Amino acid sequence: MDTKHCLEVTKGGSVFDSIPLEASSSASSKDEGAYLLRPFPTEEEWATLPRVAGTIPWTAWTVAFVEFAERFSYYGTSAVFVNFIQKSLPKGSKTGAGFLIKPGSGALGLGQRASTGLTTFNQFWSYFTPLFGAYLADQYWGRYLTIQYANIAALVGHLVLIVSAIPPVIVHPTTAVSIFAVGLVIMGIGTGGFKSNISPLIAEQYKDSKAYVRLNKHGAREIVDPAYTTARIYIYFYMLVNMGSLTGSLAMVYSEHFVGFWLSFTLPTICYLVCPFTLMYFKKHYKLSTPTGSVMGKAWKLICLAFKGRWSWSPATLKRNFRDPDFWNKVKPSSIRARGETVPSWMTFDDEWVDEVRRGVLACKVFLWYPLYWLAYNQMLNNLVSQAGTMELGKVPNDIIAKLNPIFIIIVVPIMDFGVYPLLRKFRINFSPIKKITAGFALSSFAMVSACVTQAYIYKMSKCGSHINALTKGGRKDCTVPITVWVQVFPYGLIGMSEVLASITKLEYAYTKAPTNMRSTVQGLALFTSAVSAALGQALVGLSEDPLLVWNYGSVAVVAMLGAIGFWFTFRQADKEEDALNNLKESKFIGRGEGDAENITVQNEKGEKIEKGIVG
């Protein structure tokens, strides 16, 4: 832990008396401003005192409830996609319900490869559109309004999906698949606008942005660390995501099998109505960020200026230039003035904002590795569901086994929060974000190894050999492998554990490392890594069919492990900067319009309040 560096970065904070536990740190903006920097920890306190999370504000729980409803709707709908696309309409059925009788529920009859292709496209589209949702939020509409517009789009998409599954349409697969595809596109637009903004909205309900020292109920001093609080907010946010996924999926899968796909698409649509109305009701209580105008343009110009003159065809020279300690310092407004140069007219921000952008760029570099992780995660959305259908199911639908994943997450989250993480802190083990992400990558690789071994035994033990899916589709009844489907507890459980480490940490990292006025943008970029992974997954669609599925799982396992190794060796030094990055001196630059000076209220030496324009 580089505590000295941390205190150097946060110069300006002074140390006074510790705050008692009863003092409210998030009751109001007024309370927050009164003591935010006053009890900032000393260097000795950073090194010796235990760190704890602050209290999660009640408004954050209402946002989490909205996320629960949206994920109930999204995963409840998408849980039945594989069967809807892959399997044919049961004989004599006009709803697709199969009543758990082999070959089960179905509608379009397009096969596993088409199913993997369409679900992979849905994954890509739903994580590509957050880029636009983030842009609109940070630039024009703000997070709240963007989420509400996204809710409208998502509801329209859900309605279109219902049309694709109603009895008069579902019996015409060509028409149904066309309507279904349109529904996916519209729903994905809504999902993108929602996802890129809901996670920053929940974290910013916690108002303290700097660490402080307080006395706990035993009279001992401890540090309330906003980074720990943010991590705790997101771990429960993610738990509610998976509770929504679990309940929605369970209900819709059984609706699919006993009533039909139209009900599986209708109930989530009704549930989604909770989202816009809940946000409207609690709006007056939320801490909301305003759109920032030209901030992203300024950030791009700043990055280009920093890179100017540093490019080289020599990899060694390029690496040395990018690792120059003065890489970002040289483009700070004060440094430009010190060199006697003219500050560009667009540089209406302060030095601190340059540090925040540098921190945001680091986060984006971390996210570049995530497509390798999501390749393993995405197997749950298609191939593992199909794999379950080849084993002994008993009375359990093949697409219900995937719910082992959210079950594991719901169980593991409180264990980590109340058991593992406090124990690690007690023994002074710094389980930093970089270490969490690395461990998450490794666990996803182990999950794919278990899926690969299972698939190998399926081919070995089935009477239909390595063409089990094709022969089952052709009507052969004796292809089922004498292996219980519950063996999939290993891939689903391991991926669930990996998400607690890698996926939750990604949300935390995107929020804590982004400039305050670019949080939706950085979150959108983090989500975009799932879209990149889905695009890479399209290259593996050719392996998503017999007899190549062993190669599919095996190759993904290797890629995920290479990602874990590469990620660790690339960012292992970032641990030393973690506290410094989280406690940067905050910029006063907000962002308004192109060329506008930022006016802020400061105090002169006499204590009088004056307006000062920030021009660099």
Side-chain angles (χ1 to χ4, degrees), residues 369-380 384 405 436-452 490-503 553-564:
W369 289 84
Y370 267 84
L372 305 183
Y373 170 78
W374 295 123
L375 277 176
Y377 173 90
N378 290 346
Q379 299 301 309
M380 294 193 307
L384 283 174
N405 173 258
K436 291 179 184 177
I437 295 170
T438 302
F441 273 57
L443 286 174
S444 70
S445 176
F446 297 149
M448 290 301 99
V449 170
S450 68
C452 181
F490 293 105
Y492 283 121
L494 288 168
I495 291 177
M497 293 168 64
S498 79
E499 287 182 74
V500 172
L501 297 174
S503 188
Y553 296 122
S555 59
V556 172
V558 171
V559 168
M561 184 55 71
L562 289 176

Side-chain angles (χ1 to χ4, degrees), residues 9 22 35 107 150 337 363 381 492 513 532 572 590 595 606:
V9 172
E22 291 75 20
Y35 60 77
R337 289 196 197 89
L381 307 178
Y492 283 121
K513 301 301 184 290
V532 174
R572 66 188 187 278
I590 299 173
K606 298 179 181 180

Side-chain angles (χ1 to χ4, degrees), residues 211-370:
Y212 61 88
V213 179
R214 72 177 182 188
L215 300 177
N216 63 24
K217 61 184 179 181
H218 301 295
R221 291 152 61 84
E222 61 188 13
I223 296 173
V224 179
D225 192 335
Y228 280 43
T229 310
T230 300
R232 193 172 205 184
I233 288 173
Y234 278 127
I235 200 171
Y236 286 105
F237 174 79
Y238 205 77
M239 186 175 77
L240 282 167
V241 165
N242 283 275
M243 290 174 68
S245 166
L246 177 63
T247 53
S249 300
L250 287 173
M252 296 319 117
V253 165
Y254 280 100
S255 297
E256 160 209 347
H257 286 287
F258 290 101
V259 179
F261 288 100
W262 68 268
L263 184 62
S264 298
F265 293 159
T266 300
L267 293 178
T269 307
I270 296 172
C271 179
Y272 200 107
L273 292 171
V274 170
C275 299
F277 290 111
T278 301
L279 290 171
M280 288 173 60
Y281 183 81
F282 290 107
K283 179 183 177 182
K284 62 183 178 182
H285 300 289
Y286 291 144
K287 177 183 176 183
L288 300 177
S289 299
T290 57
T292 55
S294 58
V295 166
M296 283 184 281
K298 293 179 188 292
W300 177 249
K301 290 178 181 179
L302 176 66
I303 293 169
C304 290
L305 182 62
F307 278 68
K308 185 178 180 180
R310 293 182 178 273
W311 296 100
S312 174
W313 291 107
S314 169
T317 302
L318 187 65
K319 183 177 180 180
R320 184 171 61 253
N321 288 344
F322 287 171
R323 290 188 173 182
D324 183 355
D326 290 327
F327 184 89
W328 292 99
N329 289 332
K330 287 184 177 180
V331 293
K332 289 182 177 179
S334 62
S335 298
I336 294 175
R337 289 196 197 89
R339 295 196 298 269
E341 301 173 7
T342 302
V343 176
S345 59
W346 51 266
M347 196 172 279
T348 60
F349 44 80
D350 48 23
D351 287 358
E352 288 75 20
W353 197 67
V354 177
D355 288 327
E356 290 186 1
V357 171
R358 176 182 73 87
R359 183 178 64 185
V361 169
L362 171 65
C364 293
K365 288 164 63 178
V366 167
F367 301 150
L368 286 175
W369 289 84
Y370 267 84

